Amino acid sequence: MESTSSGPIRGRGKNKRVWTPKEDAKLIESLVELCVSGKMKCDNGFRPGTFAQVERLLEDKLPGCGLKASPHIESRVKTLKRQYNAITDMLSHGSGFSWDEKNKMIHCHIDVYERWVKDHRDAHGLRLKPFPHYEDLKQILGKDRVCKKEIVSPAGVMKELHQEEVANNDVGLDIVEADVSVAQPSTSASSSKEGSAQSCRKRSREYADLAEVMVRTCNALERLISCIARQEEKEQRVDKVVGELVKLPGLSKLDILKLSEVIISDPVKVTLFFSLDEDLKKEWMRQLLRTT
């Protein structure tokens, strides 16, 4: 990530901190736990109080680390999000970029990379640099890139077109009024101005009606995307729980099926499940099997 040393850095700002790989790993682990619980994300990103929850989790995982929600965690998540988005943009571009799964880094020819960085400053320094948490960040941040597509932009475009039309007609009316006042009687100027004003009002109503239709359509699309995102998040949560249960020794396929149904049905159980070490998980699973 940024460095392997820890502690405050002086000279560039009192809140500047360099995170260790272990701190990064525990930060990502905490974010994944909250993401799996379903209590971290909302349509516009992180729920209020998310970083405070992460702060408490990090204090448990790294006693005495001193990492605070603000500015440490908030700043680090912002940096990781910027790097994740830069890598995702490069991979989405397709031409000349690839992901090295073994070494967890972006691959591309130096010439391709240098041309890209000229227009994408956030990609600076990411070529051949290990980014081990990319897949976890995809689970944590991936929905943001879907939900933040500007699905209401058509209405915004209509509004801008309408404003531009009104502005142009206002200028046109002034010109017509000035020209006609010199060349024709005032009655002609008044008639011309009234006709142009009526035309402008008609176009304004048409723009308003079309904008309303576009807004309703965009709102429906937003609800659909949100629904899909929640379903995908639920499926990821199921896959992750099942994946962890498979790792526990002594569980049959039927046991895994029963346990996954019990755990997934309760977000509190999901959070607890991922916070326990292997021994405690095994003991808890035995208790759950005896009661199901």
Side-chain angles (χ1 to χ4, degrees), residues 147-165:
C147 293
K148 288 185 179 179
K149 288 182 179 179
E150 296 182 3
I151 61 175
V152 296
S153 58
V157 171
M158 294 305 303
K159 182 178 180 181
E160 291 181 6
L161 287 174
H162 168 59
Q163 291 174 341
E164 181 178 349
E165 181 72 17

Side-chain angles (χ1 to χ4, degrees), residues 37-101:
S37 72
K39 296 180 179 180
M40 183 181 76
K41 303 300 289 299
C42 62
D43 292 343
N44 296 320
F46 296 111
R47 294 182 185 276
T50 294
F51 295 147
Q53 295 182 62
V54 174
E55 178 184 324
R56 291 191 289 271
L57 288 173
L58 286 178
E59 183 59 34
D60 291 338
K61 298 173 186 293
L62 300 169
C65 65
L67 293 168
K68 300 299 181 182
S70 178
H72 306 132
I73 296 169
E74 182 179 353
S75 175
R76 188 58 179 154
V77 170
K78 183 178 180 180
T79 297
L80 291 172
K81 183 175 182 179
R82 184 173 64 250
Q83 293 173 341
Y84 165 80
N85 287 340
I87 291 175
T88 300
D89 288 341
M90 284 188 279
L91 294 176
S92 300
H93 184 260
S95 179
F97 296 99
S98 63
W99 180 250
D100 182 348
E101 181 61 30

Side-chain angles (χ1 to χ4, degrees), residues 119-161:
D119 298 321
H120 304 81
R121 295 180 60 186
D122 286 344
H124 182 74
L126 293 178
R127 177 178 176 269
L128 302 180
K129 179 180 179 179
F131 196 73
H133 306 295
Y134 181 74
E135 292 301 324
D136 286 328
L137 285 168
K138 183 183 293 185
Q139 179 181 357
I140 297 166
L141 302 172
K143 300 298 185 299
D144 288 350
R145 296 179 66 83
V146 174
C147 293
K148 288 185 179 179
K149 288 182 179 179
E150 296 182 3
I151 61 175
V152 296
S153 58
V157 171
M158 294 305 303
K159 182 178 180 181
E160 291 181 6
L161 287 174

Side-chain angles (χ1 to χ4, degrees), residues 248-260:
L248 297 178
L251 294 178
S252 66
K253 292 182 178 179
L254 182 58
D255 291 338
I256 292 173
L257 179 60
K258 290 180 179 179
L259 290 169
S260 62

